[in-house]
Amino acid sequence: MSEEPQLTGKIKDKLIATKEQWAKDGRALTGQSAKPEERLPPGQRLTKDFPVLDLGVQPNLTQKDWSISAGGQVKNALKWSWADFMAQPQQTYRNDIHCVTTWSRYDNDWLGVPMRAFLAAVQPLPSAKFLMIKSFDGYSTNLPLADVDRDDVFLGHTWNGAGLTRDHGGPVRLVVPHLYFWKSAKWIRHITFMDKDQPGYWEVRGYHMRGDPWPEERYG
Ligand SMILES: Nc1nc2c(c(=O)[nH]1)N[C@H]1C(S)=C(S)[C@@H](COP(=O)(O)O)O[C@H]1N2
Ligand SMILES: [Mo]
């Protein structure tokens, strides 16, 4: 068993309860749809800073403590250390972030490892259709395999020219820019490949199984 990292902070029970209530109330739903050419999805507003959103506990991880592993419906269950990870192809990305709490942030510059490099190493079985992502803070989120098997999805370690800070999920977070940002798990730890979809942390609490911002898949 690997050691559990120390967690800094306290679970934000109030914030979690508020967000759960938003799902019940359908908060921020406009009933309108928009097209990606319009750049700002319905019900979103632009911000220039980079808000921090999580459960309130942040793992104290060094590059040495961090690793990513995969299991479930795969041909090659694996575990990458930081060195294994950094030996993978690196790529730059620029994207927009859309958080379900209604802030959006344009033009984020990233450096990371393409998710397709990870998938190529893992070799999901034909039965694998969904992923459950697990993080070092106990967070989880689910995604269809088709939504990570894309050119714009990556495991990010650098944001706007500097190593990803702990509050934004450093050393490594998942980035899935075409879905609401709660799918972009910070402090990513393990990916389970599954034949059936299962809800993660927010999905259990009323949030959408997929989370496409254009048709406002906020709640489900
Ligand atoms: N491990 C983990 N990842 C997480 C979260 C979390 O609580 N724990 N929160 C999610 C939510 S709700 C959002 S909006 C984004 C926020 O990322 P940021 O703090 O870098 O802005 O991270 C997502 N990934
Ligand atoms: Mo969020």
Side-chain angles (χ1 to χ4, degrees):
M1 257 330 262
S2 51
E3 262 181 60
E4 293 303 308
Q6 284 204 327
L7 299 171
T8 294
K10 261 183 146 168
I11 288 275
K12 291 180 175 161
D13 295 307
K14 256 193 174 160
L15 174 84
I16 293 164
T18 300
K19 284 180 80 174
E20 208 173 338
Q21 188 59 45
W22 289 349
K24 295 200 178 96
D25 297 344
R27 179 184 177 267
L29 290 173
T30 67
Q32 283 157 16
S33 72
K35 294 203 177 85
E37 301 82 73
E38 294 169 45
R39 198 159 185 189
L40 195 64
Q44 296 295 111
R45 63 189 165 74
L46 206 50
T47 180
K48 281 212 171 1
D49 47 41
F50 192 5
V52 171
L53 273 103
D54 51 46
L55 307 178
V57 287
Q58 301 186 340
N60 294 305
L61 286 170
T62 64
Q63 294 168 350
K64 203 164 97 318
D65 310 316
W66 178 84
S67 63
I68 185 168
S69 54
Q73 311 273 309
V74 300
K75 200 167 164 199
N76 186 30
L78 59 71
K79 185 170 182 172
W80 281 353
S81 67
W82 173 259
D84 299 331
F85 172 73
M86 291 307 282
Q88 300 300 317
Q90 304 285 324
Q91 208 177 295
T92 58
Y93 299 86
R94 171 169 283 194
N95 59 32
D96 297 345
I97 292 169
H98 307 297
C99 172
V100 73
T101 62
T102 74
W103 60 268
S104 290
R105 189 186 192 287
Y106 289 167
D107 292 329
N108 298 276
D109 285 303
W110 302 87
L111 184 58
V113 169
M115 195 58 192
R116 281 184 164 158
F118 188 76
L119 294 175
V122 166
Q123 299 182 55
L125 295 173
S127 55
K129 302 285 182 218
F130 298 94
L131 275 59
M132 181 64 75
I133 315 288
K134 293 196 180 105
S135 294
F136 280 94
D137 60 340
Y139 184 79
S140 60
T141 190
N142 57 305
L143 288 151
L145 175 57
D147 279 306
V148 300
D149 188 6
R150 295 169 48 116
D151 276 338
D152 56 352
V153 176
F154 58 97
L155 297 163
H157 58 76
T158 297
W159 176 82
N160 285 6
L164 195 59
T165 54
R166 187 181 70 193
D167 52 348
H168 290 296
V172 182
R173 78 179 297 161
L174 178 64
V175 182
V176 187
H178 70 292
L179 299 179
Y180 284 120
F181 209 38
W182 90 80
K183 300 287 180 178
S184 292
K186 308 201 276 192
W187 314 294
I188 189 167
R189 176 180 205 167
H190 184 78
I191 303 181
T192 307
F193 289 75
M194 314 182 293
D195 53 357
K196 289 196 184 69
D197 204 5
Q198 282 192 35
Y201 187 90
W202 284 118
E203 294 81 9
V204 164
R205 290 164 177 79
Y207 285 77
H208 201 277
M209 293 296 267
R210 178 152 183 264
D212 184 341
W214 299 100
E216 289 192 299
E217 291 177 348
R218 296 175 189 277
Y219 318 111

